[in-house]
Amino acid sequence: VFAAAGGTKGARTKLTAALLLTAYVWLAFKLFQDHHLVLPLVAPLGAAFTTSFVAIVWQLILEEKQKGRIKGMFGAYVSPQLVDRMVDSGESPQLGGHDDEITAYFSDIQSFSAFSEKMGSGPLVELMNEYLTACTDLVQGQGGTLDKYIGDAVVAMFGAPVPLKDHAYRACVATQLVQRRIAELRVKWRAEGDKWPEIVWNMQTRIGLNTGVCMIGNMGSRSRFNYTMMGDNVNLAARMESGAKSWGVYTMCTEATRVACEQHGGDHVVFRPLGRIVVKGRTQAVPIHEIVGLKEHVTDAARECIAIFSRGLARYFERDWNGAIECFRQSARVEPNQPGITPGVSSNPSEVYLAIAEHCRHEPPPENWDGVYVMKEK
C-alpha cells in the first residue's frame, strides 16, 4: 500500500515503510547478537519486496489510467502539447469554479447570416468545417483552450486549465495567424470557381480579446456541464469582437491585453490605439487597440498609416478638428484595408474617425467632453 501511494503523502509513507523495514532488520541482528534470538528475516524481507513490486506495478497502471482520463477529458479542447504538459506536471485540472487571470478570445464571421441565405446546408457545413478546423488548430497550436462553438463563432481561453504566463501574447499571435490563414483560404476558395458563391471569396473574421480575472471551471447542471469561463472580463472580450465593426477593424483588444502581451512578447505584435470606449452594460471607459499584425508581416506603408493616424487621434482629443481631419485623410490613403479593394472590407479606422471628426467640427461636443465614445449596441 505504501509503495502505491503518490504525491507528498506517498513520499512520507514510503519513507516510513523503509524506516520500519530497516528497523526490523537492525532489531533482528541485535537480538541475535545480544540474546541469540532468531527472528524470521528472509520471509518478511521477501514479502516486503514482492509486495512493493506489485504495488509499484499497480501504481503505474493507475497513473496510466489517470493520464488517459486527463487526455480523454481535455484532448478535444486543448492542443496535444498542452495535454502532455498537464500530464507531466502531475497536477489534476482544477475543475469547479475558481478565479484566475486569462485572456478570453471571441471570433465571428462578418455577415454570416448572408452565408446561410446564399448556401445550402451541405456546402455550408463543408465550408464551416474547413473554417472552424483552421481556426481551432491555430488557437490550440498557441496553447489556447477551446471553450465552445456558437454557430460560426469560436470561443476560447488562453491560460487555463494549465496556467500560461504569456497567455495574452499567445492569444494575440493566434489572432494574426488566424487572419492570415483566412486570407489564404479566400484565395483557395476563389480558385475553386463556381463551387462557392462570391461571398465566400470575401469572407472576413472579426476577433476580440480581453485579459483579466475570470471565473473558470466546470459549470452547468449535475448531469451536463462544460469547462468554461464566466465574468465581466469575458463579456468585455465579446464586446471587443462585436465592437470591432464600429471601428472598421478585424482584430480588437483592450489595453489590458496589449500591456500583458508586450510584457512577454516585446514589440513582436504591432498595435494601433483606437481611443477609449464605454461598452454597453458598463460605465467605465476602456482604452482599445487594433492588433495590426506581427512585426515581420507589417509593411512600411502600414507603419506609416499607424504613425499618421496616431497624430490625428492626438489632435482629435485636443479638439483640433481640422488638424485631425487632415491626418485622417492622409492615413486613409495608406490604410492596409481599403474598401472596394480588400475583400469584404467596407471601412477602416481612418474613415471612421474622419467621419467622427467632421461631425465634431460641425457640431462640437460640450466643454466637459473627454473623447470617450459610448457604444449603443452590444
Side-chain angles (χ1 to χ4, degrees), residues 221-297:
S221 70
R222 292 181 179 177
S223 60
R224 187 175 180 85
F225 48 81
N226 184 37
Y227 188 81
T228 188
M229 54 184 174
M230 297 177 64
D232 182 57
N233 280 312
V234 177
N235 297 334
L236 185 54
R239 298 292 180 268
M240 291 300 101
E241 181 275 312
S242 60
K245 179 180 180 180
S246 299
W247 304 100
V249 300
Y250 288 99
T251 312
M252 194 164 83
C253 71
T254 60
E255 174 80 357
T257 297
R258 182 193 67 81
V259 170
C261 173
E262 291 180 344
Q263 285 177 349
H264 295 279
D267 62 349
H268 186 217
V269 180
V270 179
F271 297 90
R272 172 186 0 198
L274 294 175
R276 293 177 295 158
I277 64 171
V278 175
V279 302
K280 189 175 179 63
R282 289 177 118 238
T283 57
Q284 187 173 0
V286 178
I288 57 173
H289 301 264
E290 177 192 10
I291 303 179
V292 180
L294 302 182
K295 180 169 64 174
E296 62 268 26
H297 300 147

Side-chain angles (χ1 to χ4, degrees), residues 87 96 98 149 151 170 204 260 275 284 378:
V87 171
H98 69 282
Y149 299 121
R170 288 170 176 263
Q204 289 280 2
Q284 187 173 0
K378 289 185 177 181

